[in-house]
Amino acid sequence: MSDEMKQCPQCDCPYGYFVREDAYACPECNHEWNPAEVADEDTLVVKDANGNILQDGDSVIVIKDLPVKGASGPIKAGTKVKRIRLVEGDHNIDCKIDGFGAMALKSEFVRKG
């Protein structure tokens, strides 16, 4: 039996208690969960404009012209971006684009290439 308390993923109550092997329960909302399954759900899932799941290291293609502050011109539609890195936030793709340098892009403006 474990004396460790875990936070409930449903109501965020900090008093989730051990019930049986691979199961915890919340005293406030009576929710039962497996902590291993909750950890799997916390992984970052980023989808492109077509709904394909992107992963670190993928190559993507920009689907529309994107204006860049301080640059002489936009990133043109059809520009291929290699070795992307996924991050949390509004602009969820970090990458380097030839002629522009390090950029942060929104996944809704790219497709998997």
Side-chain angles (χ1 to χ4, degrees):
M1 182 162 159
S2 175
D3 290 333
E4 180 183 1
M5 291 189 184
K6 301 217 182 256
Q7 186 171 356
C8 176
Q10 189 165 355
C11 71
D12 294 328
C13 169
Y15 305 114
Y17 58 91
F18 180 82
V19 179
R20 61 185 176 278
E21 186 174 338
D22 297 332
Y24 280 76
C26 176
E28 292 183 6
C29 68
N30 295 323
H31 176 67
E32 286 192 17
W33 74 96
N34 181 344
E37 290 176 2
V38 172
D40 291 342
E41 294 172 3
D42 290 341
T43 59
L44 180 63
V45 176
V46 177
K47 295 184 179 182
D48 70 359
N50 296 330
N52 298 319
I53 296 176
L54 298 173
Q55 297 178 353
D56 285 341
D58 280 349
S59 294
V60 295
I61 299 172
V62 177
I63 61 171
K64 68 179 261 184
D65 289 353
L66 299 175
V68 179
K69 289 183 182 177
S72 60
I75 298 171
K76 298 286 186 183
T79 302
K80 188 166 187 173
V81 181
K82 298 177 184 175
R83 296 186 306 270
I84 64 170
R85 188 171 61 97
L86 303 179
V87 294
E88 295 278 340
D90 189 31
H91 291 75
N92 46 11
I93 297 175
D94 277 346
C95 61
K96 288 184 181 177
I97 300 176
D98 293 337
F100 291 94
M103 301 290 292
L105 300 173
K106 291 185 177 184
S107 61
E108 62 200 54
F109 299 123
V110 299
R111 67 177 169 86
K112 199 168 188 174

